[in-house]
Amino acid sequence: MGCFECCIKCLGGVPYASLVATILCFSGVALFCGCGHVALTGTLTMLENHFSQITTDHATLTIVIQTMQYVIYGIASFFFVYGIILLAEGFYTTSAVKKELQSQFKTTVCGRCITATFVFLTYILALAFLGIFGFSAIPVFLFYNMWTTCAAMKSPMANITDPDSICVDVRQYGIIPWNATPGKACGSTLGDICSTSEFYLSFHLYIVACAGAGATLIALLIYMMATTYNYAVLKFMSHGNRRSTKFSESY
């Protein structure tokens, strides 16, 4: 076997779907976790400086944000390990499928059960990240509403006679309690908030984090399709081998 044929054989055993899904998963998780962590910190800073100046009013929110940041650490660590495991499983099943088709290898029930387990776990994680993707769109929506309000005030076409009548009250979203002081920002104060680095950075980081969650969801769907296909082929071939064995014995 020449060098060219050896390279072709090696490239034939690469699980390209799992490889693409792994790259997409790592990229998506990195964007979601990194940008989400920084955006949460910026959001808390902005609320403390402009909407809830008394510490006790947003003590619960501080605990929630810190808990979410710890969860982000866990998500990053888990998907780093899980992505490597799925990629290794993709190499194994791709090689097993090719050898099964060439009648050079017989898969075991244990191997097929492991593949089925990964299909089930990936399905559960895809559903979980679907919820995370929807949840990550909420701060994007809130910041977008605030940004459009500020843009409307600054627009020369708006013709606003009383800018102080235009307000953003974050208490109505349930982020801080109703007794928080001041709880809302109006007119020039609102415009100054939209000009701060915390608002600008957090807004764009939430957008990137939401995109990262979407990329991770797509990666999990690719994982699920690849592992489901490999499991179906292995199961079909194992049944075919058993039927051919029974036929030859009866013959």
Side-chain angles (χ1 to χ4, degrees), residues 121-158:
L121 289 177
T122 307
Y123 177 75
I124 297 299
L125 290 174
L127 290 179
F129 243 91
L130 180 61
I132 293 175
F133 175 66
F135 180 77
S136 63
I138 295 177
V140 176
F141 173 75
L142 299 180
F143 272 78
Y144 177 76
N145 283 343
M146 191 171 176
W147 177 76
T148 53
T149 303
C150 294
M153 287 194 308
K154 296 178 181 179
S155 175
M157 304 295 294

Side-chain angles (χ1 to χ4, degrees), residues 14 22 160 238:
V14 176
T22 302
I160 299 174
S238 64

Side-chain angles (χ1 to χ4, degrees), residues 42-197:
T43 301
L44 182 60
T45 301
M46 187 178 67
L47 289 173
E48 290 176 343
N49 293 336
H50 305 286
F51 293 99
S52 181
Q53 298 175 354
I54 301 176
T55 306
T56 55
D57 290 341
H58 58 270
T60 303
L61 178 64
T62 303
I63 295 175
V64 171
I65 288 180
Q66 290 176 350
T67 303
M68 292 176 65
Q69 288 177 332
Y70 284 122
V71 171
I72 285 176
Y73 297 147
I75 291 175
S77 303
F78 172 78
F79 272 93
F80 177 76
V81 177
Y82 191 70
I84 294 177
I85 293 175
L86 282 182
L87 182 61
E89 198 270 343
F91 273 99
Y92 167 76
T93 52
T94 301
S95 176
V97 166
K98 290 184 178 296
K99 291 183 178 180
E100 186 83 46
L101 293 174
Q102 298 172 1
S103 299
Q104 297 177 357
F105 183 75
K106 299 296 182 294
T107 58
T108 62
V109 177
C110 181
R112 293 193 297 273
C113 287
I114 293 175
T115 302
T117 302
F118 279 118
V119 173
F120 176 75
L121 289 177
T122 307
Y123 177 75
I124 297 299
L125 290 174
L127 290 179
F129 243 91
L130 180 61
I132 293 175
F133 175 66
F135 180 77
S136 63
I138 295 177
V140 176
F141 173 75
L142 299 180
F143 272 78
Y144 177 76
N145 283 343
M146 191 171 176
W147 177 76
T148 53
T149 303
C150 294
M153 287 194 308
K154 296 178 181 179
S155 175
M157 304 295 294
N159 194 19
I160 299 174
T161 57
D162 187 12
D164 291 333
S165 62
I166 300 178
C167 302
V168 171
D169 193 342
V170 297
R171 295 173 297 185
Q172 64 182 337
Y173 301 120
I175 300 175
I176 54 178
W178 282 103
N179 59 354
T181 303
K184 64 179 181 179
C186 303
S188 59
T189 303
L190 178 60
D192 294 338
I193 294 174
C194 293
S195 301
T196 59
S197 60

Side-chain angles (χ1 to χ4, degrees), residues 218-239:
I218 294 174
L220 290 173
L221 293 177
I222 296 174
Y223 273 135
M224 189 170 59
M225 289 187 292
T227 52
T228 302
Y229 170 78
N230 289 333
Y231 173 76
V233 172
L234 291 176
K235 189 174 183 179
F236 174 78
M237 293 300 297
S238 64
H239 287 316

Side-chain angles (χ1 to χ4, degrees), residues 15-37:
Y16 292 102
S18 297
L19 185 62
V20 171
T22 302
I23 297 174
L24 190 62
C25 181
F26 284 171
S27 301
V29 170
L31 290 175
F32 172 75
C33 294
C35 295
H37 185 278

